[in-house]
Amino acid sequence: MSVMGSMYTGISGLTTHAERMSVLGNNLANTSTVGFKSGSVQFEDLFYSSRTLGASVGQVGHGSRVSSIYQDFSQGAYENTGSVTDLAIGGRGFFMVKDSVNGTEYVTRAGNFNFNKEGFLVNPQGLRVQGWKAGVTEASLTQGPIGDLQLDTFQSEPKETSIMSLSLNLSNKAVDKTTPAVPPVAPAGTDLFALFTKWDATTSPKEPIGDDTYSYQKTMNVFDKSGSAHEVTVYFDKARDETGKVTWEYIVAADPSEDERPDFASADKKGVLMAGTMSFNSAGAMENMSAYTYQHVGSFDPDDKACWLPAEFDENGFPIFTANFSGLAGVNDTNDVSATGEKPERIALDFGMSSKSAAMAYVNATQTMADTEADDADLASIAAADINKTKKAATSYDIASTTNSMNQDGYTAGFLQEITVDRNGVVSGRYSNGRKEELFVLGISDFANEQGLNLVGGNLYTASSSSGQANVSTANTGRVGNVSSNTLELSNVDMSRQMVKLITTQRGYQSNSKVITTSDEMLQEAINLKR
């Protein structure tokens, strides 16, 4: 190689070290950039020229060049923030954002998001975060195609009550407080549905039944179609205790002024939604139950016990009563539909016992309340082989009557108060009605070759033929990491390492410049030979 050629070798060294300095400068400039991944320059030597040296062959190199610039995708440190929409991925994966103007899709590790005035979840450049509507089921977190995440409503819709559950103990020591005014002749001791008989909404609309007529009662709020709350009370009274078995009667009732069933307009049984019995063995375990509702048949008189037939069952096997709180015209029972096709509130009653077949599972499905009262030997109860009993089934132990738990599934409308994001990337809203509803699920993409991603600035990357297509999934699945809320991933630039590289790069640049100046001096000496 000539002396002149060595100058070009030195120039290649200056060029590569200058390139490395640019990358180091970019790393240090982004020390505080959210989600930034530092770059690393790799050099390689250039081609070689062969020289014949007597019996051997020598090779002379012609400098260096940049072979690659790698991104370090290792995890950056976490910073806790006060914004719930500040998100960080722990492990592999990228958030997905999209330009709503030209449709370009990007990925990023920077999760500094917020909701804009239109309700879209966006990054600082206004790119819309991608994901799915939440459809949390056993099979999938998501539903529908991936797209923009938009919070387009701040209200939770009301839900009418479909089931009310009571887990309770009815004391075995209780006494029968209500008996018929005229004791029946046979069978001796029959006093079923005396509690039903005592209910009188015409003479005492505010207090249709006295507190001296029942042994125990429990009230809970249920909700109609519009989300309005209504008090529903279950009254219990011990009916009889014979041959070691305990029987209780009960009625389910609402405020008579809120009972909108047309046939109950002037009846003294207005407000009574269901009546029935519960039987227990000598150990206090629940053995069976019956449930009757007004079926709008026969004499069309709610006072007539012959109009109270075994209740229908819901799909889970619990008896249903009808509460026409919405005032639908012509609706009296579970079989009625209003002129506009609307159905009334149908509420199932769960005492911990249900029918396995979820069908009309009474021993005698046509037996009315009057038939049962006349002949208690043939109670219209659930067929023994069809009984499904849970651990929360009612009991009649020798302790005070008490309610262990009570619940219902309805709620009123509510307003959004808080947004939360869980580790699976599910964005949920908490509402003033106490509800927590899943709204969205963040889309997380992963690539076979992260080093093949194109860096486009703004903490953004685009896929390329080298990176391969994005594998889109939800957080915390496969090899994709989980999501942390109120957290930002910081730059992974190691300043101490970068400063050491600055020093070595500076020295490398200086040494290559010396190659050029030394070659220049050698050429000057050659020129001076002419003197």
Side-chain angles (χ1 to χ4, degrees):
M1 176 186 290
S2 65
V3 175
M4 186 72 74
S6 65
M7 295 183 72
Y8 286 100
T9 300
I11 289 174
S12 71
L14 291 177
T15 302
T16 53
H17 282 82
E19 193 77 31
R20 189 183 203 189
M21 185 61 72
S22 296
V23 173
L24 292 174
N26 184 59
N27 289 343
L28 291 171
N30 287 282
T31 301
S32 300
T33 300
V34 176
F36 178 77
K37 301 303 179 184
S38 63
S40 175
V41 180
Q42 304 295 324
F43 295 166
E44 66 181 9
D45 50 359
L46 285 174
F47 66 93
Y48 286 80
S49 297
S50 298
R51 296 288 185 269
T52 301
L53 304 171
S56 62
V57 176
Q59 291 179 306
V60 178
H62 291 268
S64 64
R65 64 182 175 187
V66 174
S67 64
S68 62
I69 301 177
Y70 290 114
Q71 301 303 124
D72 177 11
F73 284 99
S74 63
Q75 184 77 52
Y78 283 154
E79 176 190 9
N80 293 327
T81 70
S83 175
V84 70
T85 55
D86 282 344
L87 307 174
I89 299 175
R92 292 183 64 93
F94 297 84
F95 296 112
M96 305 171 64
V97 294
K98 186 176 182 179
D99 190 328
S100 61
V101 177
N102 57 31
T104 304
E105 297 179 348
Y106 304 93
V107 296
T108 180
R109 290 286 296 191
N112 46 337
F113 305 134
N114 62 80
F115 287 99
N116 65 11
K117 64 179 181 180
E118 297 172 319
F120 290 101
L121 187 62
V122 298
N123 74 348
Q125 291 93 342
L127 304 180
R128 296 176 180 177
V129 180
Q130 301 295 288
W132 299 269
K133 289 184 178 180
V136 181
T137 64
E138 292 183 0
S140 174
L141 287 172
T142 63
Q143 65 177 8
I146 195 167
D148 302 339
L149 303 184
Q150 183 181 21
L151 187 61
D152 53 4
T153 179
F154 295 90
Q155 183 170 296
S156 170
E157 295 183 357
K159 179 183 181 298
E160 63 179 293
T161 299
S162 65
I163 186 169
M164 53 182 289
S165 305
L166 280 170
S167 175
L168 43 80
N169 179 72
L170 300 174
S171 177
N172 189 39
K173 291 182 176 180
V175 296
D176 185 356
K177 290 190 175 182
T178 300
T179 56
V182 179
V185 177
T190 300
D191 54 3
L192 291 176
F193 309 118
L195 193 60
F196 171 84
T197 305
K198 287 291 185 179
W199 184 276
D200 189 348
T202 57
T203 58
S204 305
K206 297 297 182 182
E207 295 182 7
I209 192 167
D211 56 11
D212 59 344
T213 59
Y214 53 85
S215 300
Y216 189 66
Q217 63 87 19
K218 203 65 185 179
T219 300
M220 70 170 66
N221 283 335
V222 299
F223 297 87
D224 62 22
K225 299 176 185 297
S226 66
S228 297
H230 304 271
E231 286 189 350
V232 171
T233 303
V234 186
Y235 299 91
F236 301 91
D237 191 43
K238 195 173 183 182
R240 87 179 135 270
D241 186 349
E242 56 184 31
T243 65
K245 292 186 177 181
V246 177
T247 300
W248 285 70
E249 62 173 307
Y250 68 88
I251 58 172
V252 181
D255 186 333
S257 65
E258 296 180 349
D259 186 352
E260 299 290 343
R261 290 174 292 178
D263 280 359
F264 284 68
S266 59
D268 58 2
K269 294 301 179 285
K270 186 177 182 181
V272 178
L273 307 175
M274 177 181 280
T277 62
M278 304 166 67
S279 61
F280 304 87
N281 61 21
S282 58
M286 189 176 182
E287 281 193 331
N288 219 316
M289 67 173 288
S290 65
Y292 297 90
T293 57
Y294 177 67
Q295 300 291 326
H296 196 57
V297 295
S299 65
F300 301 99
D301 180 8
D303 290 317
D304 185 356
K305 295 176 182 177
C307 293
W308 291 76
L309 273 68
E312 293 185 10
F313 288 78
D314 71 356
E315 64 275 9
N316 296 313
F318 296 111
I320 305 170
F321 61 84
T322 299
N324 188 12
F325 295 128
S326 303
L328 299 178
V331 174
N332 286 288
D333 57 52
T334 55
N335 297 313
D336 290 335
V337 179
S338 71
T340 59
E342 295 181 270
K343 294 183 178 180
E345 293 84 3
R346 291 161 52 94
I347 302 176
L349 182 63
D350 176 13
F351 283 143
M353 179 173 286
S354 62
S355 162
K356 293 177 183 177
S357 64
M360 190 67 77
Y362 285 125
V363 174
N364 185 353
T366 61
Q367 183 170 326
T368 69
M369 187 191 296
D371 296 330
T372 299
E373 185 178 41
D375 186 3
D376 65 341
D378 189 20
L379 289 176
S381 55
I382 299 175
D386 200 53
I387 289 176
N388 185 28
K389 191 167 64 171
T390 69
K391 293 181 179 180
K392 293 184 178 181
T395 57
S396 184
Y397 297 144
D398 197 17
I399 56 176
S401 295
T402 184
T403 300
N404 302 316
S405 66
M406 65 179 192
N407 190 32
Q408 59 83 38
D409 62 350
Y411 46 85
T412 187
F415 294 98
L416 183 65
Q417 294 184 321
E418 182 185 11
I419 292 289
T420 61
V421 184
D422 69 14
R423 66 196 312 267
N424 296 319
V426 179
V427 182
S428 303
R430 293 187 182 276
Y431 296 84
S432 57
N433 58 3
R435 291 284 299 168
K436 178 183 177 182
E437 297 182 5
E438 290 81 11
L439 305 174
F440 320 115
V441 182
L442 295 169
I444 306 294
S445 62
D446 188 25
F447 297 87
N449 177 25
E450 295 175 326
Q451 297 295 337
L453 293 170
N454 291 326
L455 286 76
V456 297
N459 292 332
L460 303 174
Y461 304 85
T462 58
S464 71
S465 57
S466 297
S467 67
Q469 291 186 342
N471 179 20
V472 181
S473 62
T474 58
N476 212 28
T477 58
R479 64 175 188 172
V480 173
N482 53 40
V483 172
S484 296
S485 182
N486 295 286
T487 306
L488 288 177
E489 182 185 4
L490 302 179
S491 168
N492 68 349
V493 173
D494 184 341
M495 290 188 64
S496 60
R497 186 179 296 275
Q498 299 299 311
M499 297 304 293
V500 170
K501 287 184 178 181
L502 275 180
I503 295 171
T504 58
T505 302
Q506 179 187 18
R507 294 308 181 194
Y509 192 91
Q510 287 176 336
S511 61
N512 278 277
S513 68
K514 291 300 182 182
V515 171
I516 296 174
T517 57
T518 302
S519 297
D520 178 56
E521 291 175 358
M522 292 173 67
L523 287 172
Q524 185 64 44
E525 289 297 326
I527 293 172
N528 288 339
L529 291 175
K530 186 177 178 294
R531 293 178 182 177

